[in-house]
Amino acid sequence: MEENIIFPAEWYPQSAVQLTWPHEQSDWAPVLDEVTECFAAIAREIVKREKLLIVCAGEAEVRRQLGDVRYDNILFCEMQTNDTWARDHGGISVFTNGKPTVYDFVFNGWGMKYAANYDNLITRTLFKSGVFSKDADVVNMQPFVLEGGSIETDGKGTLLTTVECLASVNRNEYLNKKQLEYHLKEFFGLNRILWLENGYLAGDDTDSHIDTLARFCDEQTIAYVQCTDETDEHFTELQAMENELKAFRTTTGKPYRLIPLPMADKIIRNGERLPATYANFLILNGAVLLPFYKSDKDATAKEALQKAFPGREIIGIDCRTLIKQHGSLHCVAMQYPEGMI
């Protein structure tokens, strides 16, 4: 019997969201108090709506940092970790013939840029710890390298991604684009892949993850970063990306409803521009968490995203600390659909 694989969209009802908590041995050490405050803010919003899975070095310390929250909605799992980017080292969920399945792809630190020896073991350790549902399978996807932030799905067989990331050196360079497409379709039960050839953010060390640039909001809607400032270094690339998005068609042959998000104000640290982006939002049950950067553009981004998600509460989370390590809100979280946990 041929397998029927469904790769659910992020707005599919969720059982839990994973956060991998910062600690003093991670790159967050110089700003640990700041970043744990940000993680706690994200955690408090999640536990209001669904379960929260916290991967951490020590449960007692995280409880101290969280304070008074709904602990009956939190699962703790202690283990060694390198870093905190659960979107990229977390398991990726599909349904195989209706059965919950968690794919454990290779995570190699975004093309061997950073150590990932512990983070690459997180998903299989969670499985051994009994975190996942007794009905769920965990499938080892070695040797394929894939990060959750590099792919977007509409839940109906369409994948949105970037050539820059998936075809990059030190991930799956032994495969050409046609072979990559074949494997992705097989893994995720896809009908088609929309490849973006353009788009990047300065300071981004993921090789242009799609979740920093353009996101599905429903089957007909894509929110994306728009740059209208001709003096900005991103102008030409993001204009080209916008034109690509305009040329894409839905499965019914219609243009996508495109919702532009403002280009975040320039944030410089140690002489380097950081990849601040409003596209890095996180969809929860009944809400969307949106990165804020203490800018007038925060309100503009919130208003735009509310059009994309009229039935959900849009909640701003101050992510000025997260961006110091070149990531934002969506990057630190991985959702698991109903039935996985």
Side-chain angles (χ1 to χ4, degrees):
M1 184 179 73
E2 186 176 339
E3 286 188 327
N4 176 36
I5 300 173
I6 295 174
F7 182 22
E10 193 165 313
W11 55 83
Y12 185 91
Q14 299 172 5
S15 59
V17 170
Q18 176 184 332
L19 295 177
T20 303
W21 210 261
H23 54 82
E24 59 188 12
Q25 272 74 51
S26 67
D27 288 343
W28 293 112
V31 290
L32 192 58
D33 288 343
E34 279 181 44
V35 78
T36 51
E37 188 176 317
C38 178
F39 269 72
I42 297 169
R44 291 184 191 111
E45 294 299 334
I46 294 169
V47 296
K48 291 176 186 176
R49 298 165 177 87
E50 58 197 89
K51 291 178 187 174
L52 170 63
L53 168 61
I54 297 180
V55 174
C56 60
E59 178 180 338
E61 177 63 10
V62 177
R63 282 177 176 264
R64 185 190 68 78
Q65 293 163 346
L66 277 176
D68 185 18
V69 298
R70 282 193 57 187
Y71 285 102
D72 61 321
N73 243 8
I74 301 180
L75 303 169
F76 289 95
C77 198
E78 295 183 345
M79 67 185 80
Q80 285 185 289
T81 63
N82 301 99
D83 216 327
T84 56
W85 308 105
R87 177 61 44 181
D88 298 334
H89 61 238
I92 299 176
S93 303
V94 300
F95 293 98
T96 308
N97 297 327
K99 186 178 180 64
T101 305
V102 181
Y103 284 159
D104 184 11
F105 286 98
V106 174
F107 174 64
N108 71 354
W110 307 281
M112 295 193 274
K113 297 184 183 75
Y114 302 95
N117 54 311
Y118 298 130
D119 290 348
N120 187 46
L121 300 175
I122 288 175
T123 299
R124 70 197 70 176
T125 304
L126 290 173
F127 179 63
K128 291 175 183 175
S129 301
V131 166
F132 297 114
S133 163
K134 58 180 175 54
D135 298 322
D137 282 336
V138 172
V139 180
N140 187 325
M141 303 299 285
Q142 289 182 341
F144 203 91
V145 178
L146 189 70
E147 298 121 31
S150 70
I151 52 175
E152 274 284 306
T153 179
D154 67 352
K156 298 293 184 180
T158 298
L159 194 81
L160 178 64
T161 189
T162 66
V163 174
E164 178 71 22
C165 179
L166 263 65
S168 67
V169 175
N170 286 336
R171 283 183 173 90
N172 302 297
E173 68 271 21
Y174 58 94
L175 301 173
N176 60 36
K177 185 180 170 184
K178 186 176 180 181
Q179 292 168 324
L180 281 169
E181 184 153 331
Y182 170 80
H183 285 294
L184 290 169
K185 285 181 174 179
E186 286 288 301
F187 296 155
F188 294 110
L190 304 172
N191 302 316
R192 63 189 191 133
I193 299 177
L194 303 177
W195 293 92
L196 281 175
E197 302 273 352
N198 298 281
Y200 83 100
L201 294 178
D204 171 33
D205 45 21
T206 68
D207 304 302
S208 296
H209 270 187
I210 191 67
D211 72 347
T212 68
L213 298 167
R215 305 284 306 285
F216 279 121
C217 302
D218 60 39
E219 293 164 43
Q220 292 83 37
T221 306
I222 298 174
Y224 70 100
V225 178
Q226 182 184 61
C227 183
T228 57
D229 179 2
E230 294 185 17
T231 66
D232 191 296
E233 65 179 284
H234 301 96
F235 179 76
T236 301
E237 275 271 337
L238 291 182
Q239 286 277 308
M241 183 187 79
E242 184 176 44
N243 288 333
E244 287 184 274
L245 291 169
K246 288 178 178 177
F248 287 155
R249 292 294 179 266
T250 67
T251 54
T252 59
K254 297 178 180 178
Y256 279 96
R257 175 191 178 214
L258 298 179
I259 294 184
L261 300 170
M263 182 77 201
D265 286 338
K266 186 184 294 188
I267 300 176
I268 304 292
R269 186 169 189 253
N270 298 328
E272 180 186 22
R273 185 167 181 173
L274 301 178
T277 171
Y278 291 108
N280 209 240
F281 54 83
L282 175 68
I283 304 171
L284 301 177
N285 292 337
V288 179
L289 304 188
L290 174 65
F292 275 7
Y293 303 102
K294 203 174 182 181
S295 160
D296 292 341
K297 291 181 179 178
D298 293 348
T300 305
K302 182 176 180 179
E303 183 180 356
L305 208 59
Q306 191 69 75
K307 294 175 184 176
F309 297 99
R312 296 176 191 260
E313 184 181 7
I314 310 298
I315 301 162
I317 301 287
D318 186 346
C319 290
R320 287 174 296 159
T321 302
L322 287 186
I323 208 68
K324 290 179 181 179
Q325 287 293 338
H326 308 271
S328 200
L329 204 158
H330 192 252
C331 301
V332 299
M334 174 55 82
Q335 79 286 344
Y336 292 96
E338 277 187 355
M340 298 289 169
I341 289 180

